[in-house]
Amino acid sequence: MIVTSASSGDSGQKGEERDDGGVDVVRGLHLVPRRDTTRLLSRFRPDVVVVQFAIASQSMNIVSTIALARAAHREGIPVVTAFHEPVREIDRLGPFSRWIYRQMERSSSIGVAYSSAGATALVASGLFRVATELPHGCSPVEVTAVDLARVRERYAITSPLIISLGFSHVDKGTDLLVEAMSGITQSLGGDVQFLLAGSPRQRRGIFRLMGRADRRFHERLATASSRLTGVSVEMSGYVPSEDVPALLHIASAVVLPYRRSTQSGVANQALAAGAVILASDIPGLRSDLGPAAHFFRSGSVADLVERSVSVLSNPQDGLREAARRRASERSYDVVAARLVEVGLSGVDDFA
């Protein structure tokens, strides 16, 4: 059973839905905890509760998330809390995030992070004695010739493509790629095009202030890109999910110029698509990608130019195969089994 947020227009708990896999989906998390949601625990009586937790994602439903986890913990049900963004949230939100993380610590049995950087951040915060590291997880996909033809036409791909994908945020370092575009283009004799695919994340409530910063960063990217001369660059905004695997696969390089990352969903999507990945050499991306990516010095435009030109000038079949292999080793089935195993182990990872 999956319990997730209700839409903003819901006045009460929606009935149970079933997804294509026969899983009950209850849209029962609201701003204020509701008894009907906590009663699910008594009715369903799960063996393990897994909380996928990030302040930015839970947003205004954080209190309900904590309350549901705490109710399960009181009833003796193992609660595994997987923290998605401890590096960024603990550092950026300070005492506010530490307070929220402390509440989740008190409501959980075991803490999990999806990278070595995340596990280190949880322990370094002083809130956790130990944190279990698991792979982020991804779903290997087959990209067909029809898919490739569709995205090639839809995104006007006529030259070797370098793509940056994901929500606009300063930590993503997309501005570094924009700075590198002229040098890459000149080195390749103009035979390259760039696609900045993504938009600012939609945020709610008090988190709208963070959304403003994202929008300003996105606007700066658009301005900087428009001022480039002799460079083929487009900004596509949101990419439909059905286009993502083919777009990542067709690219000559998927660039992840992140300044900071606990783990990256885009990195794992790229692995699943068998993409050629060029990433900042930072712990979170090293943990996610391992030998299935090329790396450049974080923050170095010159190194990004040099590595990009090298990647586009040499065959990358071996790296694509390494990406597919790593995706298979880190599939969602593997991660789900490990989450249940950790939950049933009865080990208390908290101080």
Side-chain angles (χ1 to χ4, degrees):
M1 176 177 287
I2 298 172
V3 181
T4 187
S5 300
S7 65
S8 58
D10 291 340
S11 59
Q13 178 175 312
K14 304 291 282 188
E16 293 182 0
E17 306 170 9
R18 295 187 70 84
D19 74 357
D20 292 338
V23 178
D24 291 330
V25 179
V26 180
R27 303 192 180 280
L29 294 178
H30 295 73
L31 177 63
V32 178
R34 295 170 182 256
R35 289 183 178 180
D36 284 345
T37 306
T38 54
R39 284 178 184 141
L40 288 170
L41 294 171
S42 298
R43 187 170 82 247
F44 186 65
R45 194 62 193 184
D47 295 307
V48 178
V49 170
V50 178
V51 181
Q52 303 290 352
F53 187 84
I55 294 175
S57 297
Q58 258 74 31
S59 186
M60 302 306 292
N61 299 315
I62 283 178
V63 174
S64 291
T65 301
I66 294 172
L68 189 58
R70 185 161 296 176
H73 195 47
R74 281 198 303 264
E75 292 194 26
I77 301 170
V79 177
V80 179
T81 300
F83 295 90
H84 283 251
E85 288 292 339
V87 175
R88 180 181 300 167
E89 291 178 341
I90 291 175
D91 180 59
R92 288 294 180 87
L93 301 178
F96 176 64
S97 61
R98 290 178 66 86
W99 180 84
I100 291 174
Y101 273 53
R102 175 60 74 185
Q103 303 314 305
M104 281 308 304
E105 180 266 338
R106 293 171 176 168
S107 306
S108 307
S109 308
I110 295 169
V112 165
Y114 290 124
S115 72
S116 57
T120 298
L122 289 175
V123 175
S125 70
L127 299 176
F128 307 90
R129 179 176 57 82
V130 179
T132 298
E133 178 189 343
L134 297 181
H136 181 282
C138 55
S139 180
V141 294
E142 291 295 328
V143 179
T144 68
V146 173
D147 296 327
L148 295 176
R150 183 184 69 253
V151 300
R152 189 179 294 278
E153 180 179 2
R154 181 173 292 178
Y155 298 92
I157 301 171
T158 57
S159 301
L161 175 69
I162 293 179
I163 182 174
S164 171
L165 174 70
F167 289 120
S168 295
H169 191 284
V170 67
D171 285 352
K172 297 293 183 70
T174 318
D175 53 316
L176 297 173
L177 176 58
V178 173
E179 287 186 54
M181 287 178 180
S182 292
I184 296 170
T185 300
Q186 291 170 10
S187 297
L188 294 172
D191 189 24
V192 62
Q193 65 185 108
F194 300 88
L195 177 63
L196 305 182
S199 56
R201 185 193 300 269
Q202 295 298 315
R203 301 182 188 270
R204 295 181 293 157
I206 61 174
F207 298 98
R208 287 178 179 171
L209 292 175
M210 297 170 65
R212 290 179 186 174
D214 293 346
R215 288 192 296 274
R216 287 196 295 269
F217 178 71
H218 191 76
E219 290 165 1
R220 291 198 300 272
L221 289 178
T223 299
S225 298
S226 67
R227 291 175 176 170
L228 295 174
T229 57
V231 174
S232 175
V233 54
E234 296 290 339
M235 297 185 70
S236 70
Y238 173 77
V239 175
S241 58
E242 64 267 21
D243 287 350
V244 170
L247 197 54
L248 294 173
H249 183 83
I250 205 172
S252 297
V254 177
V255 178
L256 307 175
Y258 297 178
R259 292 182 171 91
R260 301 156 58 90
S261 175
T262 306
Q263 76 277 319
S264 169
V266 174
N268 284 276
Q269 287 179 308
L271 288 176
V276 177
I277 306 169
L278 178 58
S280 294
D281 195 355
I282 57 176
L285 293 180
R286 275 281 182 185
S287 176
D288 264 355
L289 299 169
H294 295 294
F295 294 91
F296 67 94
R297 291 194 305 277
S298 177
S300 173
V301 173
D303 202 34
L304 175 54
V305 171
E306 181 181 342
R307 297 301 177 92
S308 297
V309 172
S310 176
V311 167
L312 268 67
S313 301
N314 294 283
Q316 298 297 323
D317 293 344
L319 197 73
R320 289 186 183 276
E321 181 55 38
R324 294 187 186 96
R325 185 165 55 248
R326 192 164 179 85
S328 178
E329 294 168 352
R330 299 160 61 89
S331 71
Y332 285 128
D333 286 345
V334 170
V335 177
R338 285 286 291 122
L339 284 168
V340 173
E341 178 185 344
V342 167
L344 294 177
S345 70
V347 176
D348 187 349
D349 280 347
F350 295 122

